[in-house]
Amino acid sequence: NEASDEVCNNTLSNVTGSGGRPIKFYNSTVNLTSADGPYSELILCNADNSTVDGVTIMGSNGLNNNGLILLRTDDARISNVTSSSNYNGIELIYSSFNSLTNNTTNSNGIPIGGFGIHLLQSTNNTLSNNTANSNDYAGIMLQSNSTDNILNVNTTSSVPAYVQNDGLEFFESNNNTVNGHLSTGNIE
């Protein structure tokens, strides 16, 4: 159950993912920089107050894995991350009070339905100056009670070949603030 801290009580060591790159799992505070990685997948699970800056995630957009996942992680700072051509670029699940700034999440989930940035039951996060172009399902998706988030000057565009695609989508999420968002080429 993702709603429980128990899901974070795991240890992964020497796990290799797509492209022979490591999958890293952290369940305590971590500070990662561009000197770390690249990773196939990076998971922060109950890793409050972490910093990830300049890291690259290179996995596979043909598999239902890969990307940067914050699960039950609060007060993290994620900046200058490139997570493109994965299943999802950056995903927050049950995570609050995080800052996502200057990240690039392009061409994720093609053709199986991934997102550039996906918030699921995550509140009070701030997304600023992120680019989420040509993702299969949506550039930025706030879903299932992802409320009170602030989106400042993010850029999204859609993939015309995929009917589901939106640049920015809210599903069962309200009371969010969007400022200066640029979204082009959307079908819906």
Side-chain angles (χ1 to χ4, degrees):
N1 182 344
E2 294 170 345
S4 167
D5 282 339
E6 291 177 11
V7 72
C8 298
N9 294 335
N10 295 293
T11 302
L12 277 69
S13 58
N14 300 317
V15 178
T16 303
S18 300
R21 290 175 290 278
I23 295 174
K24 292 292 185 175
F25 178 93
Y26 297 97
N27 55 12
S28 60
T29 301
V30 65
N31 294 304
L32 301 173
T33 67
S34 59
D36 300 297
Y39 301 109
S40 172
E41 186 169 15
L42 177 59
I43 304 163
L44 303 181
C45 194
N46 213 9
D48 296 348
N49 300 302
S50 290
T51 301
V52 178
D53 185 18
V55 170
T56 298
I57 314 294
M58 299 169 54
S60 167
N61 62 2
L63 301 173
N64 187 357
N65 63 7
N66 305 117
L68 170 58
I69 301 167
L70 277 70
L71 175 59
R72 304 195 54 75
T73 295
D74 299 331
D75 297 303
R77 290 162 308 285
I78 310 300
S79 59
N80 305 306
V81 167
T82 299
S83 184
S84 297
S85 299
N86 297 310
Y87 179 67
N88 285 319
I90 299 173
E91 189 165 29
L92 279 65
I93 305 167
Y94 298 105
S95 296
S96 299
F97 299 102
N98 297 292
S99 170
L100 278 65
T101 307
N102 297 326
N103 300 296
T104 302
T105 59
N106 297 329
S107 302
N108 290 293
I110 296 173
I112 57 174
F115 303 94
I117 298 173
H118 182 214
L119 277 64
L120 180 66
Q121 296 193 9
S122 295
T123 61
N124 295 294
N125 298 288
T126 302
L127 284 64
S128 300
N129 300 312
N130 297 290
T131 301
N133 293 323
S134 301
N135 295 285
D136 185 31
Y137 194 82
I140 299 175
M141 168 73 134
L142 281 68
Q143 184 177 0
S144 301
N145 297 315
S146 290
T147 60
D148 299 308
N149 296 289
I150 299 172
L151 285 69
N152 292 317
V153 197
N154 296 288
T155 302
T156 60
S157 68
S158 69
V159 181
Y162 298 102
V163 178
Q164 302 176 40
N165 188 270
D166 291 314
L168 176 61
E169 184 173 342
F170 300 91
F171 181 75
E172 296 176 348
S173 295
N174 56 36
N175 204 36
N176 294 289
T177 302
V178 178
N179 298 308
H181 183 86
L182 174 62
S183 192
T184 58
N186 298 299
I187 353 185
E188 297 185 287

